[in-house]
Amino acid sequence: MKSVWLKGLGSIESVSLRIVKWEIAAAAIVIVCALATAWPVIHGMATSSLWIDEFYSVQKFASKGPGHVLTHYTVPNNHIFFNLLNSFTLDSDSLYLPWRVRLWSFAFVAFGAVLLLWYFTKAGKVLEGSILVFLMLANVDYLDLILQARGYGLLSLGAIVCCVASSRWFERRDSLTVAVVALSVWLATWAVPTFVLFGGALMALLWVTSKDGRWLVAGTLCLLAIACSYLPVHKELIGNSSTFAKDWGKGFADWNSISSLLSGNLFFGAKSWLVFIGVMGIAGGAVIVSKDLKEMDRGALCLGLAVLATYAIALKLETLLVRTVAFTVIPCGYLAAAVFRRLTFWQNLKSIRVAGMLLVVLGVTFITIQSRKTYKFIPIEAWMETARCIEKHFPQNTKIVAQFRSRQLRAYLSKDYPVSTAFDVTKFLAGKQIVVDSAFKKKDRFDTSVMPNGYEKIAIPQRRGDPQTIYYFPQ
């Protein structure tokens, strides 16, 4: 008796129902571990302060309405399609509420995880789907990035759609799949232009490998849609591109850039030599299983080649920021899952599949336990946390001296606490004034030599620079 779960297992038709049940159980453990590892990040991002890039997106673009978002690109902070969506859902009461501002990113990540599980489960490969979801959610640095109120969550979803659609294409070769890939590449590129490097390479590879003219037509229409989307801001976009290297430096300079990207977003912060071994392992496995490729594997191979093309162009340009191509870890993980599936079904040996399942369960469990022990969510910039600390420890009408980006602090601070830049020793000694030092660099920090002896301080941790510090004179 065969189960519906056996569908899609390729030539391995002798797998027993017991093995399939073990796979389902293993997949359930992997999903639970993924959620347990991701929860501190999810909760933290839903409740913690925005940081400067998110503030800028809200203040300069989303809060000014759709028309402004579509026609202004003063700096690359305008992830246009993402800010366009946010401009419809934000109002004056929710401009700086973390969960409201980041709502679209939460939706993109959740939908991407569900899509992966749905597709792999439908194909009878639920364990591989759970592994890929784990790689996306349990790499806490990557999850932190794609949950920000920026376009990176949309890039992640776009990469997932491309992964699923690429495999579906080799199974069905239908026009809907071609349209879905083109649509996802257009919208993701409309958020962050660098997605076109991956999306364009993928569509070209699918056209070359299938020799189907629909990909050429779809790619052309996709490029036209991208050009039309950026037409209102093309002058600003060109101007920013010409000065980007000078303003922001080199993003991709050598292998270390790619190693850092993969380490922080796919390999759980591993050392560069371990990343190299992992990449070589995936590549070597892909070569081993390259004969008699199944439909999903052919799609994974195109994805892997598209990632290589993206990295090659990034190294050539040198100016791309690492986070703008971090979405490439999704197809890398997809390729790794495809290699795992083929190798663990090697030679029809059930023992290899069982050993593979056991190793996966032990590995994800170990990673989850270690993460829960050692990881503590800290916001990039702690503006809201500092504001809440002030409101908790100091009475209303206490004057706040804030000489560094006071606008971000005001966004969360009650109006009952006036903010200025002038320090008054008399008021400070009387407890009517406190100092908030939020500067990231030491040269910008508040000069404490002007304070009288005996002051005390409260440090609020943040990831960027030194902690935000509240100086006060005890009463």
Side-chain angles (χ1 to χ4, degrees), residues 1-44:
M1 180 178 178
K2 295 181 179 179
S3 167
V4 68
W5 291 92
L6 295 178
K7 181 184 177 183
L9 291 178
S11 61
I12 316 302
E13 296 182 354
S14 62
V15 178
S16 68
L17 181 60
R18 180 179 297 178
I19 295 292
V20 174
K21 290 181 177 179
W22 288 351
E23 278 196 37
I24 297 171
I29 294 172
V30 173
I31 293 300
V32 170
C33 287
L35 294 175
T37 307
W39 175 247
V41 183
I42 295 172
H43 179 266

Side-chain angles (χ1 to χ4, degrees), residues 61 67 144 171 249 289 324 354 359-360 362 372 435:
F61 302 108
D144 184 284
E171 295 169 358
V289 302
T324 62
V354 173
L359 287 174
V360 166
L362 290 176
R372 297 290 294 187
V435 174

Side-chain angles (χ1 to χ4, degrees), residues 178-179 181-187 189 196 199-200 203 215-229:
V178 179
V181 172
L183 180 64
S184 64
V185 172
W186 166 43
L187 294 179
T189 302
V196 75
M203 295 181 74
W215 284 110
L216 181 60
V217 173
T220 302
L221 292 175
C222 182
L223 284 175
L224 287 174
I226 293 170
C228 291
S229 300

Side-chain angles (χ1 to χ4, degrees), residues 103 113 193 195 400-401:
L103 183 61
F195 193 87
I400 313 297
V401 177

Side-chain angles (χ1 to χ4, degrees), residues 409-432:
L409 182 62
R410 289 174 190 266
Y412 293 113
L413 193 62
S414 168
K415 295 180 179 179
D416 296 318
Y417 294 85
V419 179
S420 70
T421 59
F423 178 70
D424 188 311
V425 176
T426 303
K427 291 180 179 179
F428 185 78
L429 283 169
K432 296 180 179 180

Side-chain angles (χ1 to χ4, degrees), residues 454-470:
Y455 68 83
E456 295 185 5
K457 61 183 180 180
I458 302 173
I460 295 90
Q462 59 183 11
R463 275 179 278 165
R464 193 176 187 190
D466 294 325
Q468 296 207 20
T469 307
I470 302 172

Side-chain angles (χ1 to χ4, degrees), residues 137-282:
L137 298 184
N139 275 281
V140 292
D141 288 344
Y142 182 62
L143 183 61
D144 184 284
L145 173 67
I146 60 179
L147 288 180
Q148 291 177 23
R150 312 281 285 124
Y152 304 118
L154 178 60
L155 301 195
S156 175
L157 177 59
I160 290 171
V161 171
C162 285
C163 288
V164 171
S166 297
S167 293
R168 177 187 169 93
W169 165 250
F170 287 105
E171 295 169 358
R172 302 191 179 188
R173 297 181 183 264
D174 57 332
S175 297
L176 177 61
T177 300
V178 179
V180 167
V181 172
L183 180 64
S184 64
V185 172
W186 166 43
L187 294 179
T189 302
W190 199 9
V192 181
T194 48
F195 193 87
V196 75
L197 303 178
F198 167 77
L202 178 62
M203 295 181 74
L205 285 163
L206 291 171
W207 172 43
V208 170
T209 55
S210 65
K211 298 180 175 61
D212 193 311
R214 285 176 291 181
W215 284 110
L216 181 60
V217 173
T220 302
L221 292 175
C222 182
L223 284 175
L224 287 174
I226 293 170
C228 291
S229 300
Y230 280 101
L231 184 61
V233 297
H234 73 281
K235 291 183 179 179
E236 293 169 302
L237 179 63
I238 294 172
N240 287 321
S241 299
S242 63
T243 61
F244 195 87
K246 179 181 177 181
D247 295 338
W248 305 103
K250 292 184 178 182
F252 280 82
D254 50 34
W255 156 255
N256 289 330
S257 302
I258 299 175
S259 176
S260 176
L261 185 157
L262 294 174
S263 173
N265 299 292
L266 183 64
F267 289 102
F268 305 98
K271 300 290 185 180
S272 58
W273 64 272
L274 286 174
V275 173
F276 180 79
I277 291 175
V279 171
M280 290 299 100
I282 295 173

Side-chain angles (χ1 to χ4, degrees), residues 52 55-56 59 381 383 405-412:
I52 186 61
F55 270 113
Y56 201 97
Q59 293 169 348
E381 296 174 9
W383 304 104
R405 293 183 180 174
S406 60
R407 185 176 182 181
Q408 276 68 36
L409 182 62
R410 289 174 190 266
Y412 293 113

